[in-house]
Amino acid sequence: MALSNGGIIGVDNDSVTAVKITQFTSSGTFDTSDTTANLLVIAGGAGGSASPNGPGQCGGGGGAGGVLYNSATTRPTDNSAISLPASPVPVTVGAGGGGGTAHGPDPAEGRQGANGSDSVVVADSVTYSALGGGTGGNNFGGGANHGANGGCGGGGAGKAPGGENAGGSRPAPANQGNDGGSGSGSPPANSPWTAGGGGGTNTAGGPATPGNSSGGGGFPYTITGENISYGGGGGGGKEAAPNSAGGYGGGGAGGSAGTSGPSPTPGHGSAGGANTGGGGGGGGTAVSPIGADAQVGAAGGSGF
């Protein structure tokens, strides 16, 4: 309705400039006329470790990839936008680490997984390097393969000898994530052997206490207009069901008790989510009678 002074009552259709979001799920270059941007960098998550198919042994969960937000050193959400150069910005997206597999020629021996790869952005002469997650511990050959350090640390293995110590996040003090959970060298009476969960970007991996070897949770960001978490740690392997949950934000669940016989049920871990930096779950153990193959860990998720 028109007013006497020339005004109009009705919907005010002010123009709105949409927020521009560019997500790299593989390596490339970013070219824009903008001079500033909010930058979220997530590294690849680590793979969970396999469990030798022996009584009570479990593989540690993989740590999540480290996270940077508008900073070359750490992950807070309140940093100012970064400066962009006039030239294209190179972007390297880190791959997730492979899960631990059965070791040939003896398939009953499980291997340790692999660390995740770094994600790197170089903008205006500043290098932003998010560190790949650290893999979980295992007991390959009775050795002490502890959880590895990384953007987030890997979980410790279940059952001594070897491997129950968790990996830590690095570099201190400006950590990009959290430590993994410790594994169980000697669980309480009537409790299953349990490996530690991989660290997440928001919380540490669960230690191997009864029922709690879940992966650490991912850090929440609203850069896409929605509150989404990234970088969940992988769950640790267990000797008995239920499976240890992966951390929210893409972490894969750990495996639990597998079975052997005519219709075997594997106790494998589950993979971290693609382009979340989530860690892979560790392999569970097998119940008696012991089967022929190790319970394998799962791959970590790629970063972005």
Side-chain angles (χ1 to χ4, degrees):
M1 180 179 68
L3 302 181
S4 59
N5 63 1
I8 296 177
I9 298 176
V11 178
D12 182 9
N13 292 317
D14 291 338
S15 61
V16 176
T17 301
V19 176
K20 293 184 290 186
I21 299 171
T22 302
Q23 180 175 348
F24 282 81
T25 57
S26 60
S27 299
T29 56
F30 177 58
D31 195 1
T32 179
S33 60
D34 295 332
T35 58
T36 62
N38 290 307
L39 176 67
L40 176 62
V41 186
I42 299 178
S49 286
S51 168
N53 210 339
Q57 300 189 36
C58 316
V67 170
L68 298 175
Y69 183 73
N70 288 345
S71 168
T73 57
T74 190
R75 64 184 190 279
T77 59
D78 56 356
N79 295 328
S80 300
I82 70 165
S83 298
L84 295 176
S87 56
V89 174
V91 176
T92 301
V93 174
T101 59
H103 171 65
D106 181 1
E109 291 284 1
R111 283 188 178 277
Q112 198 164 27
N115 291 349
S117 298
D118 298 350
S119 289
V120 182
V121 175
V122 181
D124 209 21
S125 301
V126 179
T127 300
Y128 302 85
S129 294
L131 303 174
T135 189
N138 79 334
N139 295 298
F140 173 67
N145 297 318
H146 301 292
N149 298 334
C152 294
K159 190 176 181 180
E164 64 264 26
N165 292 343
S169 58
R170 60 179 177 88
N175 293 336
Q176 300 177 5
N178 291 279
D179 298 344
S182 58
S184 60
S186 299
N190 301 319
S191 296
W193 298 101
T194 306
T201 53
N202 192 37
T203 60
T209 53
N212 179 27
S213 61
S214 59
F219 209 86
Y221 290 89
T222 57
I223 193 169
T224 60
E226 300 177 26
N227 195 348
I228 301 175
S229 296
Y230 300 102
K238 294 178 63 179
E239 186 181 16
N243 293 358
S244 295
Y248 55 86
S256 60
T259 63
S260 57
S263 300
T265 301
H268 303 334
S270 298
N275 300 123
T276 67
T285 190
V287 297
S288 183
I290 302 303
D293 294 329
Q295 307 302 301
V296 302
S302 55
F304 68 83

